[in-house]
Amino acid sequence: MNTYLSGIQSSGLLHLGNWFGAMRPHIELQEREGEHFYFIADYHALTTSRDPEALRDNVREAVVAYLAMGLDPERAVFWRQSDVPEVTELSWMLSCVTGMGLFERAHSYKDKIAKGVKPNVGLFTYPALMAADILAFDPTHVPVGADQKQHVEMTQDMAASFNAAFNAEVFRRPEPLIEAQDKLAKVVGTDGQKMSKSYGNTIWIFETGKKLKKAVNTITTDSRPPEEPKEPESVLLFRFLELFLEAEELSEWEERVRQGGADGPGYGHLKVRLIELIEETFRAGRERREELLADPGEIDRLLALGADRARERAVAVRDRALEACGLR
Ligand code: ADP
Ligand code: TRP
C-alpha cells in the first residue's frame, strides 16, 4: 500500500505558488488509494520566525487554508508538527549518523547564505528535522515542489546511513513525487521571478475585491498598445491565466493577442479575467475559511485528533530507532 506524506512550512499567507505547487496536489492525492499524512511544519518556521503572534497566526492560517480548500481530516491524518515531539527525538538520532558534508551541500541552505541570511544551527540542520518528519511515518511517497527534491534525497541518505550504522531495517526509503508540469512546479510571481514570500511578489489565494485588484495590478506589463500583435509568451499575464483557464478559452485569448488590431485585448482585459478566475477558484474556500475561523474549538478538535493519530505512528518508529541504536 502507498503512503503519501508531505508538509508545508507555516511562515506566511499561502500564495498561488503554494497552492498550485503544494497544497492542491496534496488535496488531490487524497483521492488515491492508500494512506495520507499532511502536516504544518511549524518547527521549521522557527528557523526564521521571531514573532510569536505572527507564528501563531501563520500556523492557524495554514491549517484553515488546507481544511477550507478540501483537505479531509478523516481521510488524511492532518497535524501540526510541534504536536509530535517524537520527530525532534528522531531528528537527533539521524543527525548523529550524518556527516557535516551532506548538510553543507544543501542547495536551500547555500541559497540562503548566498542571499546574506545569517545562518543559525537550526537552518543548517533543517534537513535532519525534515528527514525525521518524513521517516517518522514510514511513507512510500513524498509529494514536494522541485525545490524540495534534494531534501527528500538527503532523507534517503540519512535513512540508509542509520540502517547501515546499526544494521537494522528501521527506516523505510521514501521516494519524492514531483509535479511534472513546469507551470505548476514553478509558479511565477507578479514580477516574473518565482513566486515567493521572500521576493514580495505573491498573490494570496484568499485575496478578494479591491485588494485582489491591487495585487493583480502589480503584475508586470509593458507599454505596447492593445492593437499591437504580440506573442503570448511575451505577456507575463498569460503565465497566470494558463494556471486557471481551460485549454479552449486560453487559446482564444492567445489568438486574439497574437492578432492584435481592433479586437486586440488590452492588458486591462486580461487582468479583469484573471481577477474573476481567482475569485471563482477560491470563493467557496474563502467562505469555508471564514466559518472555520469563527469556530476555533473545531480547529483545536481537528488538530488534537490529527496529533493523536500521527503520534501513534511516530511513537512506533521512534521506539524502533531507540531499540536499534541501543538507547533501549
Ligand atoms: P516561499 O517560497 O513563498 O517561502 P515555501 O518555501 O514556504 O514558499 O513553500 C511551501 C511549498 O510551496 C513548497 O512545497 C514549495 O515547493 C511550494 N512552492 C512555493 N513557491 C512555489 C512556486 N512559486 N511555485 C510552485 N510551488 C511553490
Ligand atoms: N521544507 C518544506 C518546505 O519548505 C516543508 C517540509 C518540512 C516538508 N518537512 C517536510 C515537506 C516533510 C515534505 C515532507 O516547503
Side-chain angles (χ1 to χ4, degrees):
M1 179 176 51
N2 285 341
T3 301
Y4 300 91
L5 171 136
S6 195
I8 195 162
Q9 191 172 309
S10 51
S11 38
L13 295 176
L14 293 160
H15 53 69
L16 294 176
N18 300 144
W19 168 248
F20 287 104
M23 207 193 300
R24 188 177 75 172
H26 299 166
I27 291 172
E28 285 178 354
L29 271 173
Q30 288 181 122
E31 302 307 318
R32 288 211 203 161
E33 213 170 303
E35 296 180 305
H36 300 272
F37 288 81
Y38 295 110
F39 69 97
I40 307 300
D42 56 347
Y43 269 142
H44 277 108
L46 195 60
T47 53
T48 51
S49 174
R50 295 297 177 265
D51 179 343
E53 270 319 303
L55 183 55
R56 268 188 280 272
D57 285 351
N58 289 336
V59 170
R60 192 187 47 207
E61 272 300 335
V63 169
V64 167
Y66 260 107
L67 294 169
M69 291 309 293
L71 186 117
D72 175 359
E74 299 295 327
R75 176 137 184 67
V77 179
F78 180 54
W79 73 101
R80 179 169 54 193
Q81 182 182 37
S82 60
D83 281 335
V84 181
E86 290 73 21
V87 162
T88 53
E89 298 179 59
L90 283 167
S91 169
W92 176 251
M93 291 187 254
L94 290 163
S95 301
C96 291
V97 295
T98 307
M100 295 280 284
L102 190 75
F103 291 148
E104 279 160 357
R105 284 191 294 277
H107 305 312
S108 113
Y109 177 74
K110 287 197 289 193
D111 289 350
K112 292 204 170 96
I113 303 297
K115 284 199 194 106
V117 173
K118 197 161 160 270
N120 53 56
V121 175
L123 189 69
F124 184 64
T125 60
Y126 185 112
L129 182 60
M130 182 152 162
D133 273 339
I134 295 174
L135 299 172
F137 303 94
D138 287 334
T140 51
H141 295 87
V142 182
V144 280
D147 56 344
Q148 296 297 319
K149 181 167 179 247
Q150 191 197 26
H151 283 152
V152 181
E153 290 165 352
M154 292 170 79
T155 301
Q156 296 172 333
D157 289 346
M158 286 184 243
S161 300
F162 192 94
N163 289 351
F166 300 109
N167 193 24
E169 278 303 307
V170 174
F171 297 120
R172 182 184 202 180
R173 179 185 164 94
E175 296 299 333
L177 203 62
I178 310 282
E179 171 59 56
Q181 294 186 62
D182 279 354
K183 66 176 186 189
L184 301 178
K186 188 178 163 193
V187 172
V188 296
T190 53
D191 58 357
Q193 293 189 76
K194 180 190 168 197
M195 186 177 284
S196 168
K197 55 190 166 292
S198 25
Y199 304 150
N201 62 0
T202 59
I203 299 180
W204 181 37
I205 60 171
F206 294 128
E207 203 69 277
T208 176
K210 277 196 188 135
K211 286 191 177 158
L212 176 60
K213 196 165 168 219
K214 202 168 155 207
V216 167
N217 272 331
T218 64
I219 297 174
T220 308
T221 50
D222 52 40
S223 55
R224 288 178 292 174
E227 314 76 73
E228 185 177 328
K230 307 173 195 70
E231 270 315 306
E233 278 68 50
S234 68
V235 178
L236 182 59
L237 278 162
F238 273 104
R239 304 290 83 69
F240 289 84
L241 288 168
E242 67 194 16
L243 296 168
F244 294 94
L245 283 179
E246 301 287 342
E248 200 177 325
E249 191 186 335
L250 180 63
S251 26
E252 278 169 26
W253 283 106
E254 286 176 341
E255 204 34 48
R256 286 177 58 196
V257 165
R258 264 195 212 103
Q259 294 295 322
D263 192 34
Y267 296 138
H269 281 100
L270 300 177
K271 286 180 175 173
V272 167
R273 184 67 186 119
L274 178 62
I275 290 170
E276 277 170 13
L277 290 161
I278 297 177
E279 294 263 11
E280 269 165 36
T281 305
F282 300 105
R283 180 171 295 120
R286 205 164 49 234
E287 287 164 9
R288 178 88 186 102
R289 168 177 175 273
E290 294 297 330
E291 287 165 19
L292 281 161
L293 286 175
D295 189 359
E298 176 64 1
I299 303 177
D300 290 344
R301 186 187 74 79
L302 292 173
L303 283 176
L305 171 79
D308 282 350
R309 293 168 69 194
R311 280 196 78 183
E312 208 177 292
R313 179 75 64 107
V315 165
V317 176
R318 188 268 325 261
D319 288 349
R320 275 194 333 243
L322 286 173
E323 179 72 31
C325 64
L327 289 167
R328 287 293 175 278

